[in-house]
Amino acid sequence: MVVPLSQVVESLVTYFINNWNNYIVNIYYPNVIKITYRDIHKAFCKLYPSECNNGRRQRIPAKVAWVFGYLKYEFELRGYKVEKRKIRGGKTALYIYKL
């Protein structure tokens, strides 16, 4: 079963909004969350277990690898402020602010 990308992005955004407290960066700033590729991958696996390869070494599905831009756009549409930042280890993360 192939899930349309727009549906994937929408469900990921609602997932992150509903589980906001799990992604808070700093308890003193509860309106900022940080999302990395790994978080997106885990959320994707929770939402679409059939699409996720559950081997011991999980490979991030191609769908998730370029979903960053879409997520940013979708969050901005819903009235959040989004920053794409480099974090330690050369990784990229999305910082999402509740305005």
Side-chain angles (χ1 to χ4, degrees), residues 30-94:
N31 56 349
V32 184
I33 62 170
K34 177 178 80 177
I35 299 172
T36 60
Y37 274 135
R38 189 170 180 192
D39 298 328
I40 295 171
H41 178 65
K42 282 183 173 176
F44 181 81
C45 287
K46 272 186 188 148
L47 295 166
Y48 304 103
S50 61
E51 292 279 306
C52 194
N53 28 7
N54 295 316
R56 212 169 57 203
R57 288 187 64 197
Q58 287 194 337
R59 184 179 61 79
I60 291 187
K63 269 199 193 108
V64 176
W66 42 279
V67 104
F68 249 20
Y70 288 104
L71 275 181
K72 185 176 181 199
Y73 177 71
E74 190 69 29
F75 269 113
E76 282 169 351
L77 279 183
R78 295 184 187 205
Y80 291 85
K81 181 178 173 245
V82 182
E83 279 180 13
K84 194 173 173 186
R85 281 197 215 159
K86 285 276 185 213
I87 52 172
R88 63 198 170 104
K91 296 190 188 85
T92 311
L94 284 182

Side-chain angles (χ1 to χ4, degrees), residues 11-28:
S11 49
L12 280 173
V13 169
T14 40
Y15 175 84
F16 286 124
I17 290 171
N18 294 340
N19 297 303
W20 188 271
N21 291 343
N22 303 344
Y23 299 100
I24 289 175
V25 184
N26 185 331
I27 48 172
Y28 301 110

